[in-house]
Amino acid sequence: QVQLVESGGGLVQAGGSLRLSCTISGSIFRINSMAWYRRAPGKQRVMVARITSGGSTDYANSVKGRFIISRDNAKNTVYLQMNSLKPEDTAVYYCNAAQEVGRGVEYDYWGQGTQVTVSS
């Protein structure tokens, strides 16, 4: 089992910044990637940023140049630095860990979510 605990959400004005943290614990072997997703009101959950075990990153087009995903392996923590926030970034943000459980098969673990609200 893998546990994910997020923190760092809150209320911020447009143009401001927030940093989300996600600490992973438990059986954290074969974690292929960790990612941040978000679900805006009335919309589906979508990927925001991902970082692989090799350190490669990718981002949703809507956040490129504004958000940065990083990790601290010593602390088993992944961060999402969010800059130049816009009202449309308002959502519940979820941490995700993809664990390899078989050849080519992954299992997704999710955190409980943290609310980010950007006021105009």
Side-chain angles (χ1 to χ4, degrees):
Q1 287 292 316
V2 171
Q3 294 81 42
L4 302 171
V5 178
E6 302 123 331
S7 61
L11 173 65
V12 65
Q13 288 188 331
S17 297
L18 281 175
R19 189 178 78 160
L20 305 183
S21 300
C22 173
T23 299
I24 185 171
S25 62
S27 301
I28 59 174
F29 54 90
R30 295 182 181 176
I31 299 294
N32 287 342
S33 65
M34 292 189 68
W36 289 95
Y37 285 69
R38 69 185 181 190
R39 178 180 284 149
K43 296 186 178 181
Q44 291 186 332
R45 185 163 56 188
V46 296
M47 191 202 77
V48 174
R50 185 193 312 275
I51 185 165
T52 69
S53 58
S56 298
T57 59
D58 65 277
Y59 299 89
N61 288 335
S62 59
V63 307
K64 281 182 181 177
R66 299 189 298 123
F67 290 12
I68 300 171
I69 189 170
S70 63
R71 66 186 184 192
D72 184 331
N73 290 333
K75 296 182 178 179
N76 290 330
T77 298
V78 172
Y79 303 98
L80 184 67
Q81 178 67 43
M82 304 185 293
N83 302 319
S84 302
L85 283 161
K86 304 175 181 180
E88 51 264 44
D89 294 318
T90 295
V92 178
Y93 283 72
Y94 297 91
C95 182
N96 164 271
Q99 185 176 53
E100 183 177 337
V101 295
R103 184 172 297 179
V105 179
E106 291 182 336
Y107 184 85
D108 285 316
Y109 290 93
W110 297 94
Q112 79 283 2
T114 184
Q115 177 70 46
V116 171
T117 302
V118 184
S119 64
S120 57

